[in-house]
Amino acid sequence: MLTHVFIIVFGAAVGSFLNVVIFRLNSGESFLGGESRCFSCGKKLKWRELVPVFSFLIQKGRCRGCGSKISWQYPAVEIITGVLFLATFQLSKFNFDSCDICWFLYPYIWLLVSLLIIIAVYDLRHFIIPNKIVWIFNVLAFLNLLAHTKYAKPGFAFLSGVVFFLFFAALWFLSKGKWMGFGDAKLALGLGWLLGPVKTFSAFLISFWLGAFVGLLLIVLKKGKYTMMSRIPFAPFLIAGSLLSFFINFDILSFFNF
Ligand SMILES: [Zn+2]
């Protein structure tokens, strides 16, 4: 129990750092160092104004200096990171049964999860996937192929990444970038390498179902603002589908009796 609380708190603290990365990415500012300031009034934030989630709740989502609203992104990313770190700790035992170096795999998978959170939130905000982050993710996913040669079939996992990439690249090419960005194809490469063929296929189906569902919901709920042709960022769906497929061990092929 204490371990679980510790992991959630640790995850929320990492999420707090991820927020800084998301806001400073491509802004020329360094991620480490520098002071945290209010975006509106520039007031320097004290440590008690930087406690994940709690500061936001206590200050009722407003800056102490000028009273302007603080973005929901802060507590949302902190909570999601905490929950995903715990989910990784609890559920990835299924995936790492045969490993001798599991203690090493948690930081590794937490790093991957963190990169995916940055990509998803950045895509939501800017409709673009940050190139540097997606390539760091892909290199780390490729290392996973090399590390699992003993008890898995890295050849199949490598191919599933390539097929996943080609599918999204084809959508990007055929629609001239309207349905899908090329960033989504790059992201699919690493996700495929990480998940292997069966889970990649599940991830693919789940993300399209999620995307279609949310797309329809937006069209119905926000009439006029969204149409069938509206662009929605796809990386959050691709990432949510991949994480669900990874965590739940949802084997969609056996589900349909293939
Ligand atoms: Zn302020």
Side-chain angles (χ1 to χ4, degrees):
M1 185 63 197
L2 198 67
T3 318
H4 297 91
V5 173
F6 177 78
I7 289 173
I8 283 229
V9 171
F10 173 66
V14 171
S16 183
F17 173 69
L18 298 183
N19 275 318
V20 174
V21 175
I22 291 162
F23 278 117
R24 292 190 185 174
L25 202 60
N26 297 328
S27 73
E29 271 185 274
S30 114
F31 302 138
L32 298 169
E35 291 145 340
S36 299
R37 290 174 179 280
C38 168
F39 276 107
S40 293
C41 65
K43 178 176 124 53
K44 203 177 136 190
L45 300 178
K46 298 200 181 78
W47 70 267
R48 60 192 159 86
E49 291 168 290
L50 292 166
V51 182
V53 185
F54 286 99
S55 294
F56 186 87
L57 291 177
I58 290 165
Q59 293 164 221
K60 299 194 177 83
R62 288 180 183 279
C63 166
R64 283 192 177 201
C66 64
S68 64
K69 276 192 180 168
I70 300 169
S71 168
W72 268 99
Q73 184 195 311
Y74 284 100
V77 167
E78 286 157 0
I79 290 170
I80 288 170
T81 312
V83 169
L84 283 178
F85 274 28
L86 184 64
T88 316
F89 180 75
Q90 285 292 90
L91 299 173
S92 56
K93 285 176 193 125
F94 297 117
N95 300 290
F96 296 137
D97 258 353
S98 47
C99 83
D100 307 320
I101 46 163
C102 280
W103 61 270
F104 178 76
L105 285 172
Y106 289 119
Y108 169 74
I109 210 91
W110 284 338
L111 182 58
L112 290 174
V113 165
S114 299
L115 293 168
L116 289 178
I117 291 171
I118 295 173
I119 291 171
V121 178
Y122 198 87
D123 194 27
L124 273 178
R125 292 181 66 89
H126 304 290
F127 290 81
I128 192 156
I129 293 175
N131 205 32
K132 261 183 228 154
I133 305 289
V134 80
W135 279 113
I136 295 172
F137 174 79
N138 284 352
V139 168
L140 287 171
F142 186 78
L143 291 180
N144 177 61
L145 290 179
L146 301 179
H148 279 59
T149 47
K150 258 193 251 169
Y151 49 87
K153 296 192 175 80
F156 284 116
F158 180 79
L159 271 182
S160 70
V162 173
V163 170
F164 211 27
F165 165 81
L166 287 175
F167 177 80
F168 282 96
L171 280 183
W172 165 76
F173 182 75
L174 292 173
S175 73
K176 299 192 176 87
K178 272 185 208 139
W179 301 335
M180 213 53 82
F182 194 62
D184 296 299
K186 284 186 265 187
L187 175 61
L189 182 69
L191 288 172
W193 282 344
L194 213 56
L195 294 171
V198 176
K199 287 186 174 202
T200 297
F201 191 64
S202 302
F204 165 78
L205 289 182
I206 297 171
S207 42
F208 272 91
W209 284 340
L210 277 177
F213 178 72
V214 173
L216 286 175
L217 214 62
L218 284 174
I219 291 169
V220 173
L221 292 179
K222 304 207 166 184
K223 269 191 191 129
K225 210 179 158 199
Y226 287 90
T227 66
M228 287 300 278
M229 298 313 286
S230 291
R231 252 194 89 197
I232 48 170
F234 196 66
F237 298 106
L238 200 53
I239 288 166
S242 300
L243 288 173
L244 282 171
S245 153
F246 177 76
F247 285 138
I248 302 170
N249 249 2
F250 183 47
D251 181 353
I252 211 142
L253 294 174
S254 65
F255 185 75
F256 284 118
N257 272 324
F258 275 114

